[in-house]
Amino acid sequence: MRKLIFLVLPLFLLVQKAAAQQVLSGVVKDSTGLPVAGATLWIKGSNANAIADDKGLFSIAVKKSLPFVLRITSVGFKPHDIEVTSLSAEALNIVLARDSHLTEVVITSRRRLETAQDVPIPISVVGGAQVEATGAFNVNRLKELIPTVQLYSSNPRNTTLNVRGLGSTFGLTNDGIDPGVGFYVDGVYFARPAATTLDFIDVEQIEVLRGPQGTLFGKNTTAGAFNITTRKPSFTPGATFEASYGNFGYIQAKASVTGGLIAKKLAGRLSFSGTQRDGLIYNVATQKHTNDLNNLGVRGQLLFTPSDKVTITATGDLSRQRPDGYAQVVAGVVTTQRAAYRQFDNIIKDLNYQLPSRNPFERLIDHNTTWRSGNDLGGASVNIDVKLGKGTLTSTTAWRYWNWDPSNDRDFTGLAVLQLSQATSKHQQWTQEVRYAGNFSNRLSGVIGVFAIKQDLKTDPVHIEESGNAQWRFSQSTTSDKWKTPGLFDGYGIKTKSRLQTTGAAIFAQVDWAITDEIHVLPGLRFNYDKKKVNYDRQTYGGLETSDPSLIALKNLVYTAQAFDVEADENNLSGQITLAYKASSRLNAFATFSTSYKPVGVNLGGLPTSNGKTMIELAQIKPEYVTHYEFGLKSKPFANATANLTFHHTDVEDFQTQVQTAEVGVNRGYLANAEKVRVWGIEFDASVNVGKNLSLYGALAYTEGEYVSFKNAPVPLEETGAPSAFKDISGGDLPGISKWAGSLGGEITTNGGRLLGLGGKFFFGADSYFRSDFSSSPSPSKFLNVPGYALFNGRLGFRAINGLTLFVWGRNLTNRDYFEQLLPAAGNAGHYAAVLGDQRTYGVTVRYSL
C-alpha cells in the first residue's frame, strides 16, 4: 500500500497548461495583497460558482447572459458584489475588505443556490476545508462535528447511518430493507450503507438535512439526507498534494490535479486518496495486530460546456478497502436464564479455555478465524444541466456496484465454535433522475422531478456458516451424552444462495410560494412505487454422517434448511407542508408537517423457528409510516453570529427493526415490525466570529426515543432462556440514541507570521464531542448500554500565503477508553463483544497547492 501511494502520487503533480478559455477568471486578494484562499464566487441567479484556490485564483464557465452580478464571499471578509458587463481575456483583480461578520454559507440541497440561514430546513453544513482540518475523512468522524448524526459499524456491511436515531436498523444490517437516510454524492444516490465507511475524496461541502426529505430528493428519505458535493474540474490549472503521518504507522496521502484539456470547453479533474494504519488490537494466537486501515480511492471527472446553457459532467470512481480487521473484543459476560451448564463460564471451563483478557481495553483477542473485509465500491455517472427558462433542467444517470468478501469470527473466542462465517455479496444499482428547479413566476419557485432505481443483490457464490469442534458445547441444550458424539458438529454448516431484485420509481415536487416577502408556504408531494422479489435457499451440509434420528435431531437444533420466495409491491403517497416567516433580516421561523414511507422489507438473514417450524410469516415485514412535526428558528443575533433552534417530533408506525435471536442459524438476526416508536427532541447550534482571528462553533442536541408499542420483541441477552422467547418492551429506549450529544470547537489565527522563510499565519484549532450513554441492544438490556464519553481533538500549524499548510494534530487527546457499540455473540451464550473507539492518535500533515 505505501509503495502504491508513493508511486501514484507524483503522477498527480503533472499539470498541463490549459488552452485559452472564454471564461470569467481572476484572483481574489485582501487589502494587503495576500490571496484569499477558499473564497466563494457565485454568479447570482444561476448555479455557476467557483472556489478560489490557495493562490486566490478562480475561473467560472459563464452560462448567464450579460450583464450579471458576481458575488464574492469568504470568512472574515465583507461580501462583495461586482456587476460584469463584458467578458474579456483580462483577469479580474478582486479585493475584499476585512470584516468579522460571518460569511453566508451557500448550499444546494433544494436544487438551487441559496444560503443555509434562509432555508426552512434544519441543516448542518461542513465545508471541505473543515473536513480536512479536523481529520473528518469519513462519516464516522464527521459525526463528531454534527451530534444529531449517528453511525455504528462493526464492519462495512453491518453499518448503521441514522439522523436523530432514525434511518436504519441498529447494529446489524439486513439487506432486505432500505436505508432511511439518503446518501448522495454529486446528486447520485448510494444505496448500500457500506458507502459511508469509505474515505471522502476531494470533498467541497457536506450538507446534512434532518427530517424527511422525500419531496426534494429522488430516493425517499424518511429521516434525513447527506448531500455531498465534490470539487469540480476547473479550467485554471491546479494541483494539490497532501500527506499525513502519525503513530500506529498511520499514513494518509491525497492528491488532486485539474485543468483545461484538449478542447476549449473541456476540463478535467483527477483525485486520489490512500489511507493506511497498523492494527489497534493484538491477536495473541497469530502474534500480530489486527483492525488496520488499508484504503484506496480514485475519482475522475470531465466537465464539458458546449454552450453557455449546457453543462455536462461525467464522473467515475473506485474505492477499495482491504483491512485485516473489524475484529471485536469480548467486553463482558452476562448470566442468562439458561441452566447453569449453559452459562458461558461453565462452557469454556468444560472446554479448558480461558479468554486472553477480561478487560476489553487491553485490546487482546485470540480469534482462530481469519478476519477479512474485502469492500469494493464504485461506479459511473453522467450529469447534464440545461438552462431552460428561469430554471435548470437536470438529468443524472448512474450505475454503481458493491462487492463484499468477508470472513468473521462470530463467537469472538479462540475456540472453534463458528469456524467459518462468510456472507459474500455482490450488488449493482442503476438510477435515473430528471428534475427541473427554478422560478416559475415572481412568487413561485421550486423543484419537480422523477426518479427510478433498479437493484440486484445476490450472494456470490454462497453465504457460508460452519461449526467447529466446540460447537456442541455452546449449542448443548439437554444433558444427553449424545451431544459429545465425536465429529457430530465439526464441519456442520449452512450454505445459502439468495437474490434480491428491487424496482422503485417516484414522482416528487416541492414549491415555494411567496405569499408576501415575509411569508412563504412550501407544499410538497411524493408518489412512490416499490417492488421487491426475493429468492432464498439455505441448505445444510457436513458434520457426522448418521441415520440416528436422535443425532439428526440435535443437528437440526443448530442448523436447518430453509427456502422461501417472496414478491411484494406497493405504492404510497406522502408529502409535507412548511410555513416560513421571515420576521426580519435577522430572524426566520418555520413550521413543518410531513409524512413519509419506508418501503416493505424482506428478510435475507434467515428466519427463526417456533416449535421446530420456520416462521415464514416473517419473510416479509410491513412498510414504515412516518408522521413528522418540526418547528425552527434561524437567527443572526449579531452580524458576526448565527444561532438556530429546532424542536422535532416523529412517530413511526410499523417501525422496521433488526432483532437478535438465540438461534445460531439466523444469520445476523432477523427483521420485525414494532407497532409504534416515537422520537422527539430539541437541537441548538451556533457559530460566531470574535474579531477577525477567532471563530467558534457549537451544537447541542437533546433526543428522546422510545418504543411506544413493541409487544412481541425478542428478549434481551440476559433473559435468554426465559420461558417465553418474546417480551413486551413497550416504553423501552430505542437503541443508538443518546439523550444528550454535543460538539464545541473553533480556531484562532495570528495576523501574520513567518515559518521556514515563508509569510503566512499561525493557527490553533480545537474540537470536542460528547454524548451521554445509550442502549446498544434492540431489546433494552441492563448490560448492553454504552457509557457516555467525551473526545478532545486539536491541531496547531501554519498556513503560508504560497499554498503551503503544515500542522500537527492529535485525536482523543485525553486517551479516553470508550465503546462505540456492544453486541452479543451468535447463539447468546452470555458473552458480548465491543467495537472499541480509537485510543490517542497524533501526527503531522503537510499540504501544498500549485
Side-chain angles (χ1 to χ4, degrees):
M1 163 78 179
R2 288 184 174 90
K3 291 182 179 179
L4 182 59
I5 289 175
F6 290 113
L7 284 173
V8 173
L9 284 178
L11 299 179
F12 288 88
L13 300 179
L14 298 176
V15 184
Q16 298 295 328
K17 183 177 180 180
Q21 303 292 328
Q22 284 299 316
V23 297
L24 184 66
S25 61
V27 62
V28 184
K29 299 180 179 179
D30 65 13
S31 57
T32 67
L34 295 178
V36 180
T40 299
L41 300 101
W42 168 30
I43 297 178
K44 298 182 71 172
S46 79
N47 287 328
N49 63 94
I51 304 294
D53 64 19
D54 284 352
K55 293 184 178 181
L57 298 172
F58 71 90
S59 65
I60 305 177
V62 177
K63 308 172 188 177
K64 190 174 178 64
S65 302
L66 293 169
F68 57 79
V69 175
L70 177 68
R71 165 157 283 201
I72 308 97
T73 61
S74 184
V75 174
F77 296 88
K78 293 181 179 179
H80 186 48
D81 288 345
I82 296 176
E83 184 176 8
V84 179
T85 58
S86 63
L87 295 174
S88 66
E90 187 173 340
L92 289 176
N93 189 11
I94 300 170
V95 179
L96 296 183
R98 286 281 178 182
D99 189 6
S100 61
H101 295 179
L102 279 181
T103 301
E104 294 181 332
V105 178
V106 177
I107 63 171
T108 61
S109 292
R110 293 206 302 167
R111 310 309 187 182
R112 68 200 88 166
L113 290 175
E114 51 195 349
T115 62
Q117 284 298 107
D118 289 337
V119 175
I121 298 173
I123 184 170
S124 301
V125 183
V126 181
Q130 188 178 6
V131 168
E132 293 166 349
T134 58
F137 64 86
N138 58 24
V139 177
N140 197 35
R141 290 192 172 181
L142 183 70
K143 71 183 182 185
E144 298 173 10
L145 302 177
I146 307 175
T148 49
V149 171
Q150 298 94 27
L151 184 135
Y152 308 97
S153 181
S154 55
N155 62 41
R157 183 204 198 109
N158 289 320
T159 296
T160 299
L161 176 62
N162 284 350
V163 173
R164 296 170 172 168
L166 296 174
S168 300
T169 57
F170 176 81
L172 297 173
T173 297
N174 193 305
D175 296 320
I177 62 171
D178 292 22
V181 176
F183 193 84
Y184 290 84
V185 179
D186 291 336
V188 176
Y189 174 69
F190 286 36
R192 304 317 306 168
T196 62
T197 68
L198 299 177
D199 295 355
F200 295 138
I201 301 178
D202 218 5
V203 168
E204 181 175 294
Q205 186 164 279
I206 301 172
E207 302 163 15
V208 180
L209 291 78
R210 306 190 289 275
Q213 306 297 332
T215 61
L216 284 176
F217 289 84
K219 190 68 176 70
N220 204 16
T221 56
T222 58
F226 274 66
N227 186 37
I228 299 174
T229 54
T230 65
R231 297 184 175 101
K232 299 297 184 288
S234 171
F235 291 99
T236 302
T240 300
F241 168 77
E242 177 184 308
S244 299
Y245 303 88
N247 60 335
F248 302 111
Y250 177 80
I251 296 177
Q252 185 175 74
K254 298 181 179 181
S256 181
V257 59
T258 187
L261 298 174
I262 300 171
K264 293 183 178 181
K265 298 183 178 181
L266 185 67
R269 188 178 195 95
L270 187 62
S271 306
F272 165 85
S273 174
T275 305
Q276 180 165 310
R277 189 196 64 194
D278 296 336
L280 302 183
I281 293 176
Y282 186 70
N283 190 325
V284 300
T286 61
Q287 296 187 3
K288 69 173 187 177
H289 286 86
T290 189
N291 283 23
D292 59 9
L293 296 177
N294 189 354
N295 304 341
L296 286 173
V298 63
R299 184 177 184 84
Q301 298 180 80
L302 289 175
L303 173 66
F304 180 49
T305 55
S307 72
D308 60 355
K309 293 183 180 295
V310 179
T311 300
I312 302 173
T313 306
T315 303
D317 67 282
L318 300 168
S319 293
R320 176 182 184 271
Q321 291 183 332
R322 289 296 183 273
D324 175 16
Y326 295 102
Q328 293 97 46
V329 300
V330 173
V333 178
V334 172
T335 300
T336 69
Q337 293 189 26
R338 285 174 169 169
Y341 74 92
R342 301 193 67 190
Q343 302 300 321
F344 177 77
D345 284 330
N346 289 329
I347 292 172
I348 64 172
K349 182 180 178 181
D350 288 349
L351 295 172
N352 196 28
Y353 169 80
Q354 286 296 327
L355 293 167
S357 174
R358 294 271 177 162
N359 178 3
F361 296 109
E362 288 186 355
R363 300 175 185 265
L364 298 177
I365 62 173
D366 62 348
H367 299 172
N368 61 314
T369 299
T370 300
W371 283 92
R372 183 177 69 248
S373 299
N375 190 39
D376 296 311
L377 291 102
S381 65
V382 176
N383 189 88
I384 303 173
D385 288 322
V386 180
K387 186 72 175 178
L388 194 62
K390 295 183 179 180
T392 300
L393 181 67
T394 299
S395 169
T396 303
T397 306
W399 164 79
R400 297 203 60 78
Y401 71 90
W402 171 56
N403 295 334
W404 174 239
D405 180 23
S407 175
N408 309 298
D409 195 326
R410 292 180 62 219
D411 57 71
F412 309 127
T413 72
L415 294 167
V417 185
L418 290 170
Q419 63 184 13
L420 288 179
S421 179
Q422 301 172 354
T424 55
S425 292
K426 284 192 175 181
H427 172 266
Q428 293 189 78
Q429 67 174 72
W430 299 263
T431 57
Q432 175 65 58
E433 181 172 344
V434 179
R435 66 178 182 273
Y436 181 81
N439 297 320
F440 306 123
S441 69
N442 292 334
R443 291 287 181 182
L444 198 66
S445 63
V447 58
I448 182 171
V450 295
F451 176 78
I453 182 171
K454 185 175 180 61
Q455 300 182 68
D456 189 359
L457 174 68
K458 58 186 177 182
T459 57
D460 188 10
V462 292
H463 291 185
I464 297 176
E465 293 281 334
E466 184 177 300
S467 300
N469 57 23
Q471 179 66 261
W472 73 270
R473 188 62 184 88
F474 278 80
S475 294
Q476 184 181 9
S477 57
T478 70
T479 56
S480 170
D481 286 339
K482 290 195 174 184
W483 287 93
K484 301 178 183 180
T485 303
L488 181 62
F489 299 104
D490 197 3
Y492 179 56
I494 49 176
K495 293 182 178 180
T496 304
K497 290 185 177 181
S498 66
R499 186 175 187 182
L500 169 64
Q501 296 172 286
T502 68
T503 302
I507 302 173
F508 60 96
Q510 186 182 113
V511 297
D512 185 337
W513 177 27
I515 298 176
T516 68
D517 290 342
E518 296 80 20
I519 300 175
H520 288 233
V521 175
L522 296 89
L525 281 176
R526 179 185 184 90
F527 177 79
N528 221 66
Y529 170 79
D530 291 281
K531 180 179 180 179
K532 294 186 177 182
K533 182 179 180 181
V534 173
N535 175 263
Y536 184 90
D537 185 9
R538 187 179 85 188
Q539 300 298 324
T540 60
Y541 71 93
L544 181 67
E545 293 289 339
T546 178
S547 58
D548 185 336
S550 61
L551 295 180
I552 294 173
L554 294 182
K555 292 176 70 175
N556 287 338
L557 289 175
V558 179
Y559 290 125
T560 57
Q562 288 186 8
F564 56 86
D565 294 291
V566 175
E567 187 167 341
D569 65 273
E570 45 130 4
N571 57 72
N572 52 71
L573 183 68
S574 58
Q576 66 100 42
I577 186 166
T578 297
L579 177 64
Y581 175 56
K582 190 170 185 176
S584 69
S585 61
R586 294 181 180 271
L587 181 63
N588 293 332
F590 64 90
T592 296
F593 169 76
S594 61
T595 61
S596 188
Y597 288 86
K598 185 190 285 188
V600 61
V602 289
N603 263 300
L604 282 177
L607 297 175
T609 58
S610 178
N611 298 320
K613 295 183 178 180
T614 303
M615 300 177 69
I616 296 295
E617 65 273 17
L618 290 176
Q620 176 181 329
I621 64 169
K622 300 175 183 177
E624 287 184 357
Y625 178 73
V626 177
T627 305
H628 177 77
Y629 307 85
E630 198 151 49
F631 307 93
L633 292 173
K634 292 189 173 185
S635 71
K636 300 177 184 176
F638 312 104
N640 61 340
T642 64
N644 303 323
L645 184 68
T646 305
F647 169 81
H648 61 91
H649 182 284
T650 304
D651 288 317
V652 184
E653 294 182 11
D654 294 319
F655 177 71
Q656 296 174 350
T657 182
Q658 173 91 336
V659 293
Q660 280 288 93
T661 174
E663 295 185 45
V664 177
V666 182
N667 195 9
R668 299 181 304 281
Y670 66 95
L671 293 173
N673 287 113
E675 293 85 15
K676 186 174 183 179
V677 304
R678 176 174 297 137
V679 174
W680 69 273
I682 301 174
E683 301 160 350
F684 174 77
D685 64 82
S687 58
V688 61
N689 283 350
V690 182
K692 62 181 182 179
N693 299 115
L694 176 63
S695 61
L696 300 170
Y697 75 89
L700 182 65
Y702 178 82
T703 312
E704 289 269 9
E706 68 167 343
Y707 292 103
V708 177
S709 178
F710 193 4
K711 298 179 180 179
N712 202 34
V715 297
L717 174 61
E718 64 270 25
E719 295 180 33
T720 301
S724 173
F726 299 94
K727 181 180 180 180
D728 186 348
I729 61 171
S730 302
D733 291 338
L734 280 176
I737 300 178
S738 294
K739 287 189 177 181
W740 290 100
S743 60
L744 181 66
E747 185 174 284
I748 186 169
T749 63
T750 62
N751 288 323
R754 299 189 69 82
L755 181 69
L756 303 175
L758 301 173
K761 295 182 177 182
F762 291 95
F763 65 90
F764 170 73
D767 306 282
S768 62
Y769 167 73
F770 83 93
R771 62 180 307 181
S772 60
D773 64 296
F774 63 91
S775 169
S776 190
S777 173
S779 294
S781 166
K782 298 177 182 178
F783 299 92
L784 298 182
N785 292 312
V786 173
Y789 59 89
L791 302 176
F792 298 91
N793 310 318
R795 58 195 180 275
L796 175 65
F798 178 78
R799 295 189 187 101
I801 61 176
N802 68 347
L804 174 69
T805 300
L806 172 68
F807 60 97
V808 295
W809 48 265
R811 298 183 56 80
N812 190 9
L813 291 172
T814 61
N815 204 27
R816 175 66 184 267
D817 288 332
Y818 67 100
F819 299 128
E820 290 200 344
Q821 187 182 342
L822 297 173
L823 60 163
N828 295 17
H831 63 307
Y832 59 93
V835 178
L836 300 179
D838 292 350
Q839 58 264 62
R840 179 168 50 228
T841 56
Y842 51 85
V844 60
T845 294
V846 181
R847 185 181 305 124
Y848 191 80
S849 297
L850 299 174

